Amino acid sequence: MDAILALSRFRRRRFDDAIEISSNMLEKNYADQALWFIKCRSLTAKNFVDDTDLEDEGVAEILLEDNAMASAPRPGTSIHRPTTTASGRTSAMASRQGARPTTQSGRLTTGFARPGTSTRPQSRQQQGGVNARDLVSTAFQGSRPGTSRPVTSSGRFVRLGTASMKAMGDKFINTEQLDFKKYAKRPAIAKALCDYLIYLEHNPKKALELAALATVEAEYNDWWWKARLGKCYYQLGLYRDAEKQFKSALRQQDMVVLYLELCKVYLRMDQPNTALEWYAKGSHNHPADTHLILGIARVYDMIDDIDRGIQYYEKVLDNDSSNVEAIACLASNSFYEDQPEIALRLYRRLLQMGVNNTELWTNLALCCFYSSQYDMSLNCFERALALADDENMADVWYNVGQVAIGIGDLGLAYEAFKIAVSVDGNHANSFNCLGVLELRQGKANEAKNHFATACELAPHIYEPFYNQALLAFHLGDFKSSYDHVVTSLDIYPEHNESQELLQKLKLKFMSL
């Protein structure tokens, strides 16, 4: 009777109740396989994490990366260097960079934050032989200010597994003493145990051992075990082995999750075009599944083909009109395409769907401002500040400063940028704007310091380099001006003001 009650709680997703009932009964009879199975499945379901998305890379994967990559890959063939060509950046990317901000890796922002896309530092080969000390320091920096990356990509999962075990108290299964050969002959119990090892203990080595034995027992005809083998190989960094297992599983059973896992392997190996081929193949076999279409749109965003990505986001909304990521990306694209009214409608749609966070209210405020709805803009900023924390408050105040500049209130803008840098000392855009405001007040030394700080914190942004070059030009330091303007043009080759300043410097050098 208790086993039936525990199973009923599990099916109704009341996992804590199912775990409690199973634990109480197992204390009386630990050999009850039914209750053991229910508790194992309940623990796994409670701690399950959807790992089909690409996760952040660890320090070891970045610094000790052994996958060979071309120093100048062809356009659209690398997600780590999305804008690289033989002669510089692609024209489409260069023309957009003046209106749309870029991430640290040089990728255009898309409107939706995803793991592993905005903070990956470039390798030594990508940075043209930079100092190893600088490379290590950037590799250890996390996605949020004051945080650090895990040592490995599985390090975060190990910590999660340790925390979950500590919260449960005594360890449920002692995996070191299990005879996996015995469990491999019982497929139902073996599958529950394998998922327990992957999602709760986060021990891919033990899960791999069990999956290999179970695959042999199934005479290599069970696609589920091959999929788990691929997952274990992926977590261990053996991407080619994972690729073989997922392909073998797909030949036996055409499943959406297998396409997602296989494409994640190709993206980790920096092969976006191969990932696109498999996404397209999966979408052809499963035309109504939005996960595959969304994956295609994400890959196009990774290689900075924004226009084609937008087409697939629209296809996602044709099948799922409430997809938050597709709506947010379309809204961001409309805003940067000088269509704030359309972006405002899309962000309002997110608000009606129940999304309520600082980023959404900030975007609504900017859309209202550029749509000339100034009273609504201030109200939205108030909501954003009320919901903000230390992680995103600096961005809100930075945008408040931008709006203050737009209405001509330079005093409010100065105070807003000061608050932004006090909240986040690494906010490069605020330092750059502070430098401009200080320069307007005739404080050249303070402006120079702010520009230098912005250049050091955000070497992927061209504005502080150009501002520093222009300031050095007016101060008569032509050598420094030349160095900074060349750096600005390396980041954004089509910046007209930098090109004009470079021509003036060349004329100055010729006249000397």
Side-chain angles (χ1 to χ4, degrees), residues 398-410:
Y398 169 75
N399 286 294
V400 171
Q402 292 290 338
V403 170
I405 291 176
I407 62 177
D409 192 345
L410 300 183

Side-chain angles (χ1 to χ4, degrees), residues 102-117:
T102 59
T103 63
Q104 184 177 354
S105 59
R107 188 177 295 115
L108 295 171
T109 55
T110 60
F112 194 86
R114 308 184 189 97
T117 60

Side-chain angles (χ1 to χ4, degrees), residues 304-317:
D304 282 340
D305 195 346
I306 302 296
D307 294 333
R308 298 189 68 177
I310 292 300
Q311 296 176 8
Y312 283 94
Y313 284 126
E314 292 173 349
K315 290 182 180 180
V316 171
L317 291 181

Side-chain angles (χ1 to χ4, degrees), residues 273-292:
N273 290 337
T274 308
L276 285 174
E277 293 176 3
W278 281 96
Y279 273 131
K281 184 178 179 180
S283 181
H284 177 74
N285 296 335
H286 306 274
D289 190 89
T290 57
H291 297 87
L292 296 169

